[in-house]
Amino acid sequence: MWAVLAFLTAASGQVPPFQLAAMTFLIGGLLGVATWPFRKGVVASMPRSWRVWLLGIAGLFGYHFVYFTAIRSAPPVEVSLLAYLWPLFLVAFSALLPGEKLKVHHILGVIIGLLGAALVITRGQGFTLAQGFGLGHALGFSCAIIWAAYSVLSRRFGNVSTDVVAGFCLITSALAFLCHLLFEATVWPEGQSQWLAILGLGLFPVGAAFYSWDLGVKRGDIMALGASSYASPLLSTLVLMLAGFAPYHWSIFVACLLITAGAVIAAKDMIFRRR
């Protein structure tokens, strides 16, 4: 689902970032709320700790506002690959959890992944950036840090029901709508295709994917999740290329290989551990 995030965002037209976040998070939140009438005790199970709400809202609202802004400030493929460095940082941050230890291969994996990101920005032209290193690139890199930190910290609240994600989405939608009124002019999608792209964003990358991810980081092997997420950069880039939002270039494929190789090295303990 996250592999189509960049494509659907680019296909949504010129809707301002805060407005787009408000629309898509409303859809994602309602997706979760729609299941509540069929399950008893959901509302009563909502956490009362302000730390849980602060983490969720900061993670969801912060990440997507930065991402939506970045995708319109730099070529989508470059922002996408920078943002998809989060699996590398997830592995590194996970090593800081109780019982884990940051090792040399974790650091080596992160460095290789960063080399891949640098390659896609420069398009294989050495230190000469294809279009210059701009605000969009910096924001894309920040996305990786934000999401990795949110995911690892969510592990601390493993006893909190995933239903809380619907609350995160609805509050994030309200905050984004307020920011839209304060800072932006309303621009509605043009045509059916752009409306469908926004609906797709709300149902999948900004909806169902969040609920799935929350279950994974709380109940699953977080290192295994990090390793399985490393296919995202390749899939995302291929989607952008096939949709015509990114040009074909050999550096893109080499960068994907580097990022994936770095991820595998960083997750060596999980992949090659003995039974």
Side-chain angles (χ1 to χ4, degrees):
M1 288 187 280
W2 283 333
V4 298
L5 177 61
F7 161 66
L8 290 177
T9 302
S12 63
Q14 298 301 315
V15 179
F18 280 121
Q19 180 186 346
L20 183 61
M23 296 170 69
T24 54
F25 274 106
L26 177 61
I27 297 171
L30 293 177
L31 179 65
V33 171
T35 69
W36 292 3
F38 304 99
R39 295 180 293 118
K40 296 181 180 180
V42 173
V43 177
S45 68
M46 289 294 169
R48 294 176 174 81
S49 172
W50 63 269
R51 293 180 178 85
V52 175
W53 292 99
L54 179 62
L55 175 64
I57 295 169
L60 299 192
F61 177 74
Y63 176 90
H64 282 84
F65 169 66
V66 172
Y67 185 85
F68 290 148
T69 303
I71 207 72
R72 291 195 171 100
S73 303
V77 65
E78 297 175 6
V79 171
S80 178
L81 285 173
L82 282 170
Y84 274 122
L85 287 174
W86 65 260
L88 295 172
F89 291 115
L90 176 62
V91 170
F93 293 167
S94 297
L96 302 177
L97 292 171
E100 300 291 344
K101 183 179 179 181
L102 185 63
K103 300 178 181 179
V104 174
H105 63 272
H106 292 139
I107 300 174
L108 180 61
V110 171
I111 292 175
I112 293 175
L114 290 176
L115 289 175
L119 179 61
V120 73
I121 293 174
T122 61
R123 300 289 177 88
Q125 299 177 11
F127 293 100
T128 302
L129 298 179
Q131 298 182 15
F133 188 91
L135 175 63
H137 299 104
L139 292 175
F141 185 83
S142 299
C143 287
I145 301 295
I146 293 172
W147 190 252
Y150 163 75
S151 300
V152 172
L153 291 174
S154 293
R155 186 81 163 192
R156 295 187 56 188
F157 302 104
N159 60 330
V160 176
S161 171
T162 293
D163 287 305
V164 74
V165 174
F168 294 162
C169 290
L170 293 177
I171 294 175
T172 298
S173 175
L175 291 174
F177 179 67
L178 177 61
C179 292
H180 168 63
L181 294 179
L182 292 174
F183 305 120
E184 297 175 339
T186 301
V187 178
W188 293 110
E190 299 179 359
Q192 182 179 6
S193 61
Q194 292 185 7
W195 278 106
L196 288 175
I198 290 176
L199 178 62
L201 278 169
L203 291 177
F204 300 109
V206 189
F210 284 155
Y211 300 101
S212 302
W213 185 250
D214 188 77
L215 283 170
V217 296
K218 289 178 178 177
R219 303 184 186 181
D221 185 331
I222 199 166
M223 298 295 285
L225 285 172
S228 64
S229 299
Y230 297 137
S232 294
L234 178 60
L235 294 175
S236 178
T237 303
L238 291 176
V239 169
L240 287 168
M241 287 183 172
L242 291 173
F245 285 97
Y248 292 89
H249 194 275
W250 65 266
S251 62
I252 301 297
F253 294 100
V254 175
C256 287
L257 292 175
L258 284 172
I259 292 174
T260 303
V264 171
I265 293 172
K268 178 176 72 67
D269 291 340
M270 185 277 298
I271 300 175
F272 303 107
R273 66 187 175 190
R274 296 179 180 178
R275 293 183 179 277

